[in-house]
Amino acid sequence: MISVAIDGPAGAGKSTIARAAAQALGFLYVDTGALYRAIGLAVRRSGKDPADGEAVCGCLPSIRLELGYEDGVQQVYLNGENVSAAIRTPEASMDASSVSAVPAVREFLLERQREIARQNNVVMDGRDIGTVVLPNAQIKIFLTASPEERARRRYEELRAKGEDTAPEEVLKDVMQRDYNDTHRAVSPLRQAEGAVLADTTGKTLEEAIELMLGIIRAGLEEAEQ
């Protein structure tokens, strides 16, 4: 099986770009960030603080996560409920950042992610895929863009959904998420050894997808040699 591991900061477009690349290649797309968001949502719904590691650990035994696919699009189920839409809010993003810093949460999801990769050709994205989850992936990519670019994209997404927010608040959230992800004690965000850097600052979505596909196809050719 072939594994493509994609890491990068929040708002870099990993999900959108990786999903399109997987579809073009006929690979299974796995958005691991959605799993952390679902855990954050479960903790929040339980009335606990996602930043309280002990409370988060106490919630894990009651959390059942499943992945499904509809027309090739990943769906996340939390205790049988499709929460794919509910986990795409700014609050869910910050809660995901909080719970992802809890070692027990990362361990909870680690084997599930590896099992999927063992059984399928995958394009898997997250924060520690190339460094921890799939360190032996044949192709590793670190996808990024400037904080300002990522904040602009996020702001436009929120506006399109009818959410009223200020550009400066979105940039503040992006930079806080960057700090949290790169400074956590467990599996901090960093470029994996051997990963190709893909900077999409100033690129259109189509250009970013082509950049990604070019890197992956070059990696596949090299793997076959």
Side-chain angles (χ1 to χ4, degrees):
M1 294 297 173
I2 300 294
S3 294
V4 179
I6 301 173
D7 294 310
K14 294 189 303 295
S15 298
T16 302
I17 297 169
R19 183 185 299 111
Q23 186 173 20
L25 296 164
F27 283 21
L28 188 67
Y29 167 62
V30 183
D31 172 10
T32 64
L35 299 174
Y36 287 97
R37 286 169 176 262
I39 291 179
L41 178 65
V43 174
R44 177 72 62 181
R45 284 181 172 181
S46 74
K48 306 295 185 181
D49 181 0
D52 183 340
E54 187 174 342
V56 171
C57 290
C59 292
L60 291 178
S62 64
I63 295 176
R64 178 168 54 88
L65 294 178
E66 296 173 290
L67 294 181
Y69 293 86
E70 295 178 9
D71 298 324
V73 178
Q74 177 179 290
Q75 305 294 315
V76 181
Y77 296 86
L78 171 61
N79 297 333
E81 176 193 352
N82 189 332
V83 294
S84 302
I87 61 176
R88 295 302 172 184
T89 66
E91 182 181 57
S93 178
M94 294 307 293
D95 287 347
S97 182
S98 295
V99 301
S100 68
V102 179
V105 171
R106 308 198 76 83
E107 189 64 31
F108 180 77
L109 294 175
L110 182 60
E111 183 53 35
R112 176 60 179 142
Q113 295 164 4
R114 288 177 173 172
E115 180 184 5
I116 294 172
R118 284 195 296 266
Q119 298 173 351
N120 304 272
N121 291 324
V122 299
V123 174
M124 187 178 293
D125 75 64
R127 299 290 190 280
D128 63 348
I129 308 305
T131 55
V132 176
V133 180
L134 301 176
N136 296 319
Q138 292 91 336
I139 301 165
K140 299 178 184 179
I141 300 170
F142 192 83
L143 182 69
T144 191
S146 70
E148 292 76 16
E149 173 92 357
R150 290 183 282 124
R152 180 188 63 78
R153 294 172 185 172
R154 183 60 179 155
Y155 174 73
E156 291 176 354
E157 288 176 4
L158 294 172
R159 293 284 291 179
K161 294 178 180 178
E163 297 186 30
D164 187 19
T165 186
E168 56 269 23
E169 284 301 313
V170 178
L171 177 59
K172 180 180 176 181
D173 285 347
V174 165
M175 296 185 74
Q176 181 63 53
R177 183 72 191 269
D178 284 355
Y179 182 86
N180 292 348
D181 289 341
T182 56
H183 287 77
R184 66 184 178 223
V186 181
S187 303
L189 172 66
R190 62 181 176 83
Q191 185 172 337
E193 183 178 351
V196 178
L197 180 66
D199 191 330
T200 64
T201 302
K203 295 187 181 297
T204 65
L205 176 58
E206 291 72 21
E207 289 171 340
I209 292 170
E210 282 306 310
L211 173 63
M212 176 75 71
L213 283 172
I215 295 172
I216 295 173
R217 285 170 174 150
L220 290 173
E221 290 180 5
E222 184 176 334
E224 290 175 355
Q225 294 177 358

